[in-house]
Amino acid sequence: MPRFFQDFPGGDTARITGPDAAHIRRSLRMRPGENLTLCDGRGTDYFCEVAGFEGEDVLLKVLYHTPTACEPSVSVTLYQGLPKGDKMEWILQKAVELGATAVVPVATARSVVRLEGKEEKKRARWQKIADEAAGQSGRGILPAVSPPLSWKQAVERLKADGGPVIVFYEGGGLPLAGLVGPDTRRLAIVIGPEGGFEPSEIEELRALGAQAATLGPRILRCETAPLAALSVIMALTGNME
């Protein structure tokens, strides 16, 4: 069933406008009587019937609503060291599909990419990719993509958040099974770029109380590591069942 996100306060009727309305009419060629799902982006799905059209807008009749069934029980924020090329787009798409609640791109000491002057343009494109992935995978929220942060800004944000932090470090660490379990409800994970982390960065995270973790003896690419980490976290918290 087609799925669309809209800030919807509830009620018996709804109206879809803009690009989504054009997609419904021209690409999907939906007709009155056909059904779609409207998600308010806050965890509620509204199952609707196309009631008709008014100008370019699509008019909906709300049949019933339910909590979104696809949101994981654990909220995971991914702090990702900026990789080269378009790898960030791949990471964003797959991280959202796997259940990440938010993604924070970070310019670490070993990040080759520098985005000075292009931060907002990049963030807008990344958010669009995240939004599309959320719709495709049936998410109940639109995971937020932060503007790229410096390492100092990222550490300050982690400190202000105050939640548990796991950093995946090529220098080794504890197995995830010893750090994450069914009762875990909130978590930040930190993953480096192609060159990994500077030892000083790991020490800064440890000073915040972060735990170093391993994803096994194999060397994973920077675009593979976050997806492996999210998959294991979702399995350990019961969100792959």
Side-chain angles (χ1 to χ4, degrees), residues 28 88 93 104 117 181 202:
L28 299 179
M88 193 68 197
Q93 183 187 68
V104 182
I202 298 300

Side-chain angles (χ1 to χ4, degrees), residues 10-187:
D12 297 329
T13 62
R15 177 188 296 262
I16 296 182
T17 63
D20 283 344
H23 182 65
I24 290 168
R25 298 188 61 164
R26 297 190 180 95
S27 299
L28 299 179
R29 298 182 180 277
M30 297 187 75
R31 297 291 180 260
E34 294 188 285
N35 299 117
L36 58 80
T37 301
L38 192 64
C39 182
D40 64 3
R42 297 182 295 276
T44 301
D45 287 345
Y46 295 82
F47 294 86
C48 305
E49 178 183 289
V50 176
F53 306 100
E54 187 175 280
E56 294 297 314
D57 298 350
V58 179
L59 307 180
L60 304 176
K61 176 183 178 182
V62 179
L63 304 177
Y64 62 95
H65 66 273
T66 64
T68 304
C70 297
E71 279 305 301
S73 61
V74 58
S75 174
V76 182
T77 298
L78 167 63
Y79 286 74
Q80 174 65 50
L82 282 170
K84 293 184 290 186
D86 59 1
K87 293 176 184 177
M88 193 68 197
E89 297 183 3
W90 166 267
I91 292 169
L92 274 167
Q93 183 187 68
K94 303 310 174 187
V96 169
E97 290 177 19
L98 286 166
T101 301
V103 180
V104 182
V106 183
T108 69
R110 296 182 183 177
S111 291
V112 175
V113 175
R114 292 291 181 263
L115 299 175
E116 288 82 356
K118 302 177 182 177
E119 292 91 344
E120 180 51 33
K121 182 178 180 180
K122 276 291 187 182
R123 190 212 62 80
R125 173 166 174 76
W126 289 339
Q127 187 64 64
K128 183 174 185 293
I129 291 169
D131 291 352
E132 290 172 351
Q136 181 275 325
S137 57
R139 295 292 301 272
I141 65 168
L142 292 172
V145 182
S146 166
L149 301 184
S150 67
W151 178 254
K152 180 180 179 182
Q153 289 171 325
V155 171
E156 289 173 350
R157 177 164 168 169
L158 285 165
K159 184 177 181 179
D161 183 61
V165 180
I166 294 176
V167 55
F168 292 91
Y169 182 41
E170 59 273 18
L174 298 171
L176 265 178
L179 301 173
V180 177
D183 295 330
T184 303
R185 291 292 176 264
R186 186 164 69 105
L187 187 63

Side-chain angles (χ1 to χ4, degrees), residues 215-226:
L215 289 168
R218 291 157 301 282
I219 297 174
L220 302 182
R221 293 179 184 272
C222 69
E223 66 268 34
T224 307

